[in-house]
Amino acid sequence: MPADALVSIRDLTVQFRTDRGWVSAIEDISLDINAGECLGVVGESGSGKSVTALSILRLHARGTARAARGSIMLDGRDLLRAPERDLRRVRGGDIAMVFQDPMSSLNPVLTIADQISESLRLHQGLSRAEGRSRAIELLDLVRIADAPRRADEYPHRLSGGMRQRVMIAIAIACRPRLLIADEPTTALDVTIQAQILELLRDLRAELGMAVMMISHDLGVIAEFAHRVVVMYAGRIVEQAPVGTLFSAPRHPYTEGLMTSLRGRDIPGQRLGSIPGRVPDPDESIPGCRFGPRCAHVEAVCRAAVPALVSISENHDVRCTPRSQALAPACL
Amino acid sequence: MTPAIRLILIKLLQAVPVVLIVSILAFLVLNLLPGDPAVIIAGDQATPAAIEAVRHSLGLDRPFIVQLGIWFLHIVHGNFGNSLVLNQTVASAMLQRLPVTLSLAGLSLAITLPIGIGLGSLAAYYRGSWIDSSVMTVALVGVSVPSFWVAGLAVALFSVVLGWFPSSGYVPFAQNPAQWLRALLLPSIILSLFEIGFLSRMTRSAMLDVFGQDFIRTARSKGISEWRIVSKHAFRNALVMVITATGILLSAAIGGSVVIEQVFALPGVGRLVVEGILARDYPLVQGVMLIYGLTFVLINLIVDLAYSFADPRVRYD
Amino acid sequence: MIEASTVPEFAATTLAPRQRSMILRRLVAHRSFQIGFFLVGVLAIAAVLGPMLTNTKPSAMHISHRFSPPQAKFLFGTDMFGRDIFTRVLYGARVSLWVGFAVAAIAGVFGTTLGVLAAQFRSLEGAIMRLMDALMSFPAILLALGITAALGPSMNSVIIALSVAYVPPGVRIVRASALVVRELDYVQAALIAGARAPRIMLRHILPNSIGPLLVHLSFVFAYAILAEAALSFLGVGVQPPTPSWGNIIAEGRDYALQAWWIVLFPGIGISLATIGLNLLGDGLRDVLDPKLKG
């Protein structure tokens, strides 16, 4: 594990309960999030990026999911095995999360101030009055005008963009070291998307926190991330610094994403211009799960699941033909 | 005009036609009688003169629309008619019996609310576990088993065999609170069986609905304890349902008390109306039904308002 | 009224035959539905075959065998007149199930008719819905009590009274789904294309409201059995000598200690019938309306 890794995920396999037993939604995910860095996670829906994010704080609906294998280390503790009490201290304290749909992510019957100050009162022992004034400061920080009045309102009075700002205020309330943003702009209008991204970028710089930005929007990732993890069908297929990934993608899937992006406006670009669709988690595909959609598929791809191989410093690819061609000569 | 006052006025206006229809329905109870109401009320052996006297005293010899007019006029003046059998006005008979029924309904509601909400939340939280299935089985039995039957068995066991409770009778609260409670406890518990079943089924489904919402996940992501998530975030949202349920339960308790009062020989309104029906005391039945109806309209109105104020989305818009 | 507060929203599409067979398969696999179906089935068969399952009449008095406890000759014992409780409970099942079924059927027909009328004709809507509000403000048992008081105590009065009491929630359910369906594009298109109102009702509105209505009616069936028993117990329902579960219990009440069997068996009958119907309704609700799934 690199010395500056804040959160370190190793060999994570998460399974969901279905009618046909436990099915793996993600398999063998290993990645590090370094302190202060911005990690982008990109993939089509169904690639497992949200499952990975929710696993860090064990936020899957109770009884529906289990971590079959792996570890998620924070400060020398495995979050997957930490008792619920310890985990609660991490949630909203060290690691906070912003979700996709601001319309449904706020409690409709509690005031904005109540929802923002809740974690402050819990983690930092603030009184109700202190909590409220901190909430107003936070609303200012996320650039909501007329914060004292807004603080006492209920979510339904706010627009989608304002609600997402409130969600961000909730998340940064206790100065987390890692903010996980799960498609934070997907549900918003294009102009609002840009504002929210800008806000997140400024806050990240201001607060010095790491951000895990999950998106299916390559534009968002290109603008925001330092390092990018590309996921496909529950596995990491490539990870590299953002410049390398965009200039020299190695996995055919990443290449496909780049081709579909090229020549278009960057924000709002959706994935999925590659023919075919992401397989369901319980679909059995021999070898590489991208094989059926891959233009360069070979016999070796169907023979075995390719391994994630380091082809240069900070650049890993899960593609047997490519990694054999590109990997630095073995010892 | 503030939104709150406007809301109250709107709800009041909406209740007016319902009140009118309820009073017409109560009026029709007497007028729908197959055959000649005067003959039925006077009895089979009555002389033609006696029948004529009944007809006249009840105003049955006047045109239908005039009768309806008089009926409304009397209601407005608080005159709900006179009992044929009790030698009393309907209003005073009601007033005399009302405390019994209200005590019974209130006590059973006090038993039902915490238990029903608790069991329902528990089942929802532990969905699919043995806790869930046992709570739901108990709830199913609660809503399925006839209360008068359980009451009969309970009287036999707890009152006659074990002697823990009196098997019948009522002691006013003002006279002796302990005896009051002792007289009402068993009937209230039995009245609660259906209500607990009903409320826990309703709470469970409302809570399950809330547990599936995104904002519960948001609350978890803040590090809030499960207990607080259930008691604050989930319950506040399910509160709207609980208020609705409370209204239904109060009405159901008053309805169910008709049967329970009969079994335990409690001198409440329910017993009054059954006695009235069996004694063919139609003016009494009519008056009691009207007061019942007005009570239920009032309960619904209060529930409607409470409901609106519990939900900020309704409160403001 | 119980189901009215949760008028289910239905996916407003006409079910394809494939979906229908899938619904049927899921019903058959549903635990509550299986148990409910079994209970209701057994009771229904017992009620239909009633007279063939016993060799005596419900009113036949075996004077020398008064208060006989359950034994081979009198399976459920005898009452104060030496009447066979087994036979009386069997015949009581006929009365109770018939009342429940009739009430559900009448409430279903009137609920559908009035609900569609209220949704289709603005001029009728206010009057119908206010009347339903007024009826729903009474608990069913009290409303039924008032109506049987007016009509005189008899089985038919009970059926009429309970039907009136249980029509309003059905009206609300059908009207709600009719209002949703009416706004659908393909129904609007059919209207513009000149389809007449009755056709729209038959082809679009009814198939879409049948699910929630069926769920509601299975609960009505259960509540009607309970209410009939309560009314008969109070003496304003089915009148002796016709045996009904409610009046058998009322008659046996005074002897509950010395001859518990008189009261016990009809009560078990009522309980099993209502439990069965409630389970049936739970199963239907889970399968027909996943949104309300518990």
Side-chain angles (χ1 to χ4, degrees), chain A residues 238-260:
Chain A
E238 184 160 11
Q239 64 176 328
V242 67
T244 316
L245 191 88
F246 278 77
S247 62
R250 291 302 179 209
H251 195 283
Y253 176 63
T254 321
E255 274 174 11
L257 296 180
M258 296 302 161
T259 321
S260 67

Side-chain angles (χ1 to χ4, degrees), chain A residues 103-131:
Chain A
M103 304 313 269
S104 59
S105 293
L106 289 168
N107 193 325
V109 299
L110 301 177
T111 62
I112 302 295
D114 192 0
Q115 298 190 57
I116 297 176
S117 62
E118 199 170 19
S119 54
L120 286 163
R121 294 171 62 195
L122 180 81
H123 293 293
Q124 302 181 354
L126 265 52
S127 71
R128 179 171 282 275
E130 288 166 343

Side-chain angles (χ1 to χ4, degrees), chain A residues 130-143 147-148 169:
Chain A
E130 288 166 343
R132 185 174 177 279
S133 62
R134 264 299 281 154
I136 292 170
E137 288 169 35
L138 283 161
L139 285 175
D140 272 330
L141 195 63
V142 296
R143 298 169 203 163

Side-chain angles (χ1 to χ4, degrees), chain A residues 52-71:
Chain A
T52 309
L54 289 172
S55 301
I56 297 177
L57 288 177
R58 296 208 325 236
L59 286 175
H60 298 291
R62 272 176 321 108
T64 60
R66 69 173 186 196
R69 203 168 45 247
S71 64

Side-chain angles (χ1 to χ4, degrees), chain A residues 54 57-62 84 87-93 95-97 99-101 104-110 114-116 118-119 121-123 128 152-154 156-157 167 170 182, chain B residues 123-127 208 210-230 232-240 309-317:
Chain A
L54 289 172
L57 288 177
R58 296 208 325 236
L59 286 175
H60 298 291
R62 272 176 321 108
E84 189 72 22
L87 198 66
R88 281 208 297 273
R89 239 169 273 141
V90 174
R91 289 178 184 154
I95 302 177
M97 199 157 172
F99 299 96
Q100 176 171 348
D101 187 358
S104 59
S105 293
L106 289 168
N107 193 325
V109 299
L110 301 177
D114 192 0
Q115 298 190 57
I116 297 176
E118 199 170 19
S119 54
R121 294 171 62 195
L122 180 81
H123 293 293
R128 179 171 282 275
D152 296 322
E153 282 185 351
Y154 291 90
H156 74 278
R157 309 271 288 179
M167 281 298 294
I170 292 173
D182 187 0
Chain B
Y125 190 79
Y126 295 105
R127 175 188 193 168
L208 278 182
V210 178
F211 285 152
Q213 305 271 334
D214 285 349
F215 59 78
I216 295 295
R217 191 179 55 189
T218 304
R220 281 211 176 97
S221 80
K222 288 195 255 185
I224 297 166
S225 69
E226 291 295 299
W227 164 247
R228 263 182 87 81
I229 286 173
V230 175
K232 182 178 174 187
H233 287 260
F235 185 69
R236 288 259 187 107
N237 275 277
L239 189 65
V240 170
F309 283 97
D311 189 337
R313 285 161 294 191
V314 185
R315 196 188 316 160
Y316 283 105
D317 302 318

Side-chain angles (χ1 to χ4, degrees), chain B:
Chain B
M1 195 161 32
T2 68
I5 295 178
R6 236 191 74 207
L7 188 73
I8 294 174
L9 282 178
I10 290 173
K11 297 284 178 196
L12 276 174
L13 278 176
Q14 282 174 346
V16 170
V18 178
V19 168
L20 274 177
I21 296 173
V22 165
S23 45
I24 293 174
L25 287 177
F27 172 74
L28 288 177
V29 166
L30 189 59
N31 287 267
L32 275 183
L33 282 176
D36 188 341
V39 175
I40 293 167
I41 291 167
D44 303 334
Q45 269 87 48
T47 61
I51 293 173
E52 217 34 57
V54 168
R55 195 190 310 282
H56 186 72
S57 76
L58 293 178
L60 292 171
D61 48 355
R62 293 187 228 193
F64 179 82
I65 198 77
V66 175
Q67 288 184 45
L68 188 64
I70 294 172
W71 169 243
F72 275 124
L73 207 66
H74 283 166
I75 297 171
V76 171
H77 288 99
N79 176 0
F80 297 97
N82 296 304
S83 162
L84 299 177
V85 178
L86 294 177
N87 213 359
Q88 216 176 1
T89 65
V90 173
S92 76
M94 269 300 272
L95 278 180
Q96 212 172 42
R97 309 291 195 103
L98 205 57
V100 183
T101 301
L102 289 183
S103 304
L104 186 60
L107 202 56
S108 84
L109 208 60
I111 297 170
T112 301
L113 284 177
I115 298 180
I117 291 170
L119 286 180
S121 308
L122 213 62
Y125 190 79
Y126 295 105
R127 175 188 193 168
S129 72
W130 64 270
I131 297 177
D132 184 17
S133 35
S134 5
V135 167
M136 283 302 99
T137 307
V138 170
L140 177 68
V141 172
V143 296
S144 302
V145 172
S147 63
F148 60 88
W149 180 61
V150 180
L153 298 178
V155 167
L157 179 63
F158 294 113
S159 306
V160 181
V161 176
L162 297 173
W164 292 355
F165 299 102
S167 63
S168 64
Y170 175 75
V171 179
F173 182 80
Q175 194 181 318
N176 185 338
Q179 290 297 318
W180 170 84
L181 189 65
R182 217 177 140 229
L184 287 180
L185 199 56
L186 192 57
S188 306
I189 291 172
I190 287 162
L191 194 51
S192 301
L193 294 180
F194 174 88
E195 295 169 27
I196 289 172
F198 173 68
L199 183 60
S200 50
R201 279 161 70 99
M202 207 162 158
T203 305
R204 176 177 180 272
S205 97
M207 285 295 236
L208 278 182
D209 208 33
V210 178
F211 285 152
Q213 305 271 334
D214 285 349
F215 59 78
I216 295 295
R217 191 179 55 189
T218 304
R220 281 211 176 97
S221 80
K222 288 195 255 185
I224 297 166
S225 69
E226 291 295 299
W227 164 247
R228 263 182 87 81
I229 286 173
V230 175
S231 64
K232 182 178 174 187
H233 287 260
F235 185 69
R236 288 259 187 107
N237 275 277
L239 189 65
V240 170
M241 174 287 306
V242 172
I243 291 171
T244 313
T246 307
I248 299 174
L249 288 175
L250 191 56
S251 297
I254 295 176
S257 66
V258 174
V259 175
I260 295 294
E261 283 170 10
Q262 201 68 16
V263 178
F264 288 91
L266 295 170
V269 183
R271 195 134 196 264
L272 183 69
V273 76
V274 173
E275 282 167 356
I277 290 171
L278 294 176
R280 295 180 172 177
D281 191 345
Y282 286 95
L284 177 76
V285 175
Q286 200 173 36
V288 174
M289 281 294 166
L290 175 64
I291 295 170
Y292 264 137
L294 298 181
T295 312
F296 295 130
V297 172
L298 186 70
I299 292 174
N300 287 345
L301 185 68
I302 293 169
V303 164
D304 225 15
L305 285 173
Y307 174 97
S308 310
F309 283 97
D311 189 337
R313 285 161 294 191
V314 185
R315 196 188 316 160
Y316 283 105
D317 302 318

Side-chain angles (χ1 to χ4, degrees), chain C:
Chain C
M1 216 63 31
I2 283 146
E3 298 313 307
S5 54
T6 53
V7 173
E9 283 169 37
F10 249 64
T13 44
T14 312
L15 295 176
R18 221 177 70 85
Q19 271 173 297
R20 262 179 233 160
S21 77
M22 203 183 72
I23 282 178
L24 212 64
R25 227 174 311 129
R26 282 173 54 200
L27 264 183
V28 170
H30 195 283
R31 249 313 254 304
S32 310
F33 188 84
Q34 290 169 348
I35 303 172
F37 191 81
F38 174 77
L39 283 175
V40 175
V42 167
L43 287 168
I45 290 169
V48 170
L49 299 182
M52 285 182 247
L53 300 175
T54 171
N55 47 19
T56 176
K57 291 266 167 255
S59 52
M61 301 183 188
H62 309 268
I63 299 297
S64 52
H65 295 282
R66 296 169 65 228
F67 295 120
S68 290
Q71 52 185 272
K73 188 166 178 230
F74 305 108
L75 226 45
F76 292 174
T78 63
D79 66 5
M80 52 283 179
F81 302 120
R83 294 176 299 190
D84 179 33
I85 297 297
F86 178 71
T87 306
R88 289 180 68 70
V89 169
L90 264 185
Y91 278 78
R94 294 166 78 90
V95 171
S96 292
L97 292 181
W98 166 247
V99 169
F101 177 78
V103 168
I106 297 173
V109 169
F110 277 87
T112 307
T113 313
L114 290 172
V116 169
L117 286 178
Q120 286 286 336
F121 303 105
R122 276 282 150 78
S123 52
L124 290 176
E125 189 183 9
I128 293 178
M129 295 322 286
R130 288 298 84 69
L131 179 62
M132 295 306 130
D133 286 350
L135 290 177
M136 280 186 74
S137 66
F138 284 89
I141 181 84
L142 267 176
L143 191 59
L145 207 60
I147 297 169
T148 44
L151 300 180
S154 74
M155 185 164 88
N156 287 336
S157 307
V158 171
I159 292 176
I160 294 171
L162 290 175
S163 300
V164 173
Y166 290 118
V167 161
V171 174
R172 286 198 180 178
I173 290 169
V174 173
R175 173 175 165 268
S177 44
L179 285 178
V180 172
V181 173
R182 210 181 50 185
E183 296 311 315
L184 291 177
D185 288 345
Y186 66 85
V187 176
Q188 286 293 312
L191 270 173
I192 292 164
R196 295 211 346 265
R199 194 181 147 72
I200 301 246
M201 270 178 226
L202 277 176
R203 292 232 350 126
H204 300 298
I205 295 178
L206 289 184
N208 277 294
S209 42
I210 199 81
L213 190 65
L214 215 59
V215 173
H216 167 66
L217 292 181
S218 62
F219 290 122
V220 164
F221 201 147
Y223 290 126
I225 288 178
L226 273 180
E228 179 275 321
L231 291 173
S232 300
F233 173 79
L234 291 174
V236 297
V238 177
Q239 297 294 304
T242 306
S244 100
W245 286 338
N247 71 27
I248 300 173
I249 293 176
E251 288 177 343
R253 244 188 90 203
D254 295 336
Y255 314 100
L257 276 182
Q258 61 208 90
W260 47 267
W261 49 90
I262 308 178
V263 174
L264 186 73
F265 293 106
I268 290 176
I270 301 169
S271 305
L272 288 183
T274 25
I275 287 176
L277 286 161
N278 277 322
L279 285 171
L280 216 62
D282 286 348
L284 281 172
R285 185 190 51 203
D286 288 356
V287 171
L288 290 176
D289 191 357
K291 197 182 146 277
L292 291 177
K293 185 170 176 144

